[in-house]
Amino acid sequence: TLDGRQVHSVERFNSGLCWRALGMMPGWGSRVALFFWLVALVGSDPVILDGAKLQKLRAAGDGRAYLVLCHATPFNSKESEAALEVWKALEHPLAGIADVLTMNCDDFPMECHMLQAAHFPQVVLLVGGEVLLYSGPITSKALYLFANNNIFSPVAQLNSKNLEWWLRSETENRIPVFLLHDNLVLPVAYSALARSMYKTHAFAEIRTVSDSVRAKFGAEKLPAIAKGHAESDDKFTLYDGEFKRRQLRAFLLGEEEIDSEAQDGWPAGVVPAEAYGIPHLTAQSAASICEATCTIIFLPDGVSSAAIRERRQRMEAARDLSKALAKPSKSPRAAPPPKLVWASQYQSSLYGAFRDCGGGAEAHVALAVWKVKRNRAAVSPAPLSVETA
């Protein structure tokens, strides 16, 4: 639970904040759990796959997705028996997304070997002619998310044959971004950025990296990320850094990496040039400066001229707002004005919680009013001004 008096509270928000702020039902997690429990009561047996059926669906090439449980005979494996019970609850949630199938690898060992199943139970997703192995817990919710994230992923799967066609026809005036690798799963940072930046960047992956593909991108080692340029289809810039979301995002946006230190140990591109005496809300300062109600000004991070200009404008608006809040009230019973603080979008856990209240990943929250003890919040989108605040 959120408690403004606890140090870790500021960095551990969740989307339940805005459900409570709007006076709605409890968090989605409990509703999803209830949904899958109800489905389990009426779940039916999944389709059993044999060698002939597997060969037929792989040859069909109809673009459908198949989620396959490769298992041992239940009598010989308690793990496979438990996985089959979970499988019965999956057909309804995945209806229209993927066909749910099972294959007994004691009866069809060669077919399971073709599906790259090295142990049992093993979950395999067949989509677009590709075999994707699942390595997480075998629960209804986890498997539902796995199927959704991989079937509807905005990352195109390419090879040397369709690479040029994709560059010409599918990027739609967006900046092309390529991940060259030989792993079975996408890095979390790459797939997350693909979902949040799909409007401006076209993301793709190439898993079978030939010498000609390496030469085109100038990649000497794998994994590698290359960014295209709007003025040329043959010009690419390789990313040289850690596979972390913030550094990758700065690279894709053409910003310099935020790595130089600024005051209080915060990176340059986070702390405003002039704070006007307004305190910085952090996990360490939350208990002392946000006891009842906090008005939070969120500043964009980055070292680009646009980010610096926007930070300056928001802090100037915050200064004017601070003066307006400081004016004495005519009513003796008026509540004290809320504490005014600033925070950065760089503080991803904090900013993400209030952004979820504003509509999710596409929202741009500039101001939030947080009632700490009651754990309620209201948010205001950019642009920020004293009038809108």
Side-chain angles (χ1 to χ4, degrees):
T1 59
L2 270 177
D3 183 350
R5 300 179 184 275
Q6 297 177 356
V7 170
H8 65 272
S9 64
V10 175
E11 303 296 347
R12 288 197 170 185
F13 288 102
N14 56 54
S15 57
L17 176 77
C18 47
W19 287 109
R20 289 188 289 274
L22 297 175
M24 299 177 75
M25 294 178 64
W28 64 272
S30 59
R31 294 198 300 275
V32 170
L34 176 62
F35 168 70
F36 281 115
W37 179 77
L38 291 173
V39 168
L41 296 179
V42 297
S44 57
D45 292 334
V47 175
I48 298 175
L49 199 60
D50 57 28
K53 291 179 181 177
L54 175 63
Q55 185 177 5
K56 183 177 180 180
L57 68 86
R58 296 199 71 176
D62 54 5
R64 297 177 66 180
Y66 303 91
L67 193 66
V68 184
L69 173 65
C70 299
H71 64 90
T73 302
F75 181 79
N76 299 326
S77 170
K78 294 296 183 182
E79 293 81 3
S80 291
E81 182 179 12
L84 284 168
E85 290 301 314
V86 173
W87 226 245
K88 294 178 182 179
L90 277 176
E91 184 173 1
H92 292 284
L94 291 178
I97 300 175
D99 290 349
V100 180
L101 313 171
T102 67
M103 174 169 277
N104 190 329
C105 294
D106 289 338
D107 296 334
F108 303 98
M110 293 304 297
E111 285 77 4
C112 287
H113 179 73
M114 290 172 56
L115 294 176
Q116 305 176 23
H119 58 84
F120 312 114
Q122 172 69 66
V123 177
V124 178
L125 179 64
L126 301 177
V127 56
E130 295 285 336
V131 176
L132 301 177
L133 300 181
Y134 174 69
S135 58
I138 299 183
T139 64
S140 296
K141 180 180 175 181
L143 290 166
Y144 175 81
L145 294 175
F146 167 71
N148 264 282
N149 290 343
N150 285 280
I151 294 172
F152 298 119
S153 172
V155 180
Q157 297 180 350
L158 304 180
N159 53 46
S160 57
K161 296 181 180 179
N162 59 11
L163 171 58
E164 297 298 335
W165 164 81
W166 185 83
L167 276 171
R168 292 191 308 268
S169 307
E170 299 297 309
T171 55
E172 299 175 343
N173 297 319
R174 295 173 294 167
I175 297 174
V177 184
F178 299 90
L179 170 64
L180 315 179
H181 69 131
D182 52 7
N183 298 321
L184 293 175
V185 294
L186 283 171
V188 174
Y190 190 80
S191 57
L193 287 174
R195 293 185 183 89
S196 63
M197 301 178 67
Y198 71 93
K199 291 184 179 180
T200 57
H201 294 68
F203 289 80
E205 64 168 332
I206 303 177
R207 296 187 182 182
T208 304
V209 186
S210 62
D211 291 340
S212 61
V213 172
R214 286 176 179 261
K216 181 178 182 65
F217 294 103
E220 297 181 357
K221 60 181 181 179
L222 301 180
I225 291 180
K227 178 182 69 172
H229 296 266
E231 66 273 10
S232 174
D233 289 341
D234 296 318
K235 184 180 179 181
F236 300 94
T237 302
L238 284 175
Y239 172 67
D240 183 18
E242 297 183 85
F243 275 56
K244 293 185 177 180
R245 194 178 308 183
R246 182 172 61 87
Q247 289 90 330
L248 276 171
R249 184 176 182 274
F251 166 73
L252 297 178
L253 293 176
E255 300 176 352
E256 297 179 15
E257 186 175 347
I258 304 171
D259 56 5
S260 57
E261 295 298 318
Q263 63 187 65
D264 299 326
W266 288 85
V270 172
V271 179
E274 177 57 67
Y276 303 108
I278 300 173
H280 183 186
L281 179 64
T282 66
Q284 291 73 30
S285 66
S288 60
I289 64 176
C290 275
E291 295 184 356
T293 303
C294 261
T295 299
I296 309 170
I297 306 294
F298 280 107
L299 307 181
D301 63 304
V303 293
S304 66
S305 58
I308 294 172
R309 182 170 58 253
E310 182 63 21
R311 270 201 304 276
R312 184 183 301 116
Q313 291 175 351
R314 291 194 189 183
M315 286 309 299
E316 290 174 352
R319 176 195 58 190
D320 296 339
L321 178 61
S322 177
K323 293 179 180 178
L325 292 174
K327 292 181 179 179
S329 174
K330 296 180 180 179
S331 173
R333 296 184 179 181
K339 185 70 176 181
L340 184 63
V341 298
W342 70 267
S344 173
Q345 295 176 10
Y346 171 78
Q347 297 167 259
S348 56
S349 297
L350 172 63
Y351 180 65
F354 288 102
R355 185 179 58 185
D356 289 343
C357 293
E362 298 299 318
H364 298 282
V365 176
L367 179 145
V369 178
W370 177 31
K371 292 186 176 181
V372 180
K373 294 182 179 180
R374 300 183 66 184
N375 192 25
R376 295 188 177 185
V379 299
S380 176
L384 176 68
S385 66
V386 178
E387 291 75 17
T388 59

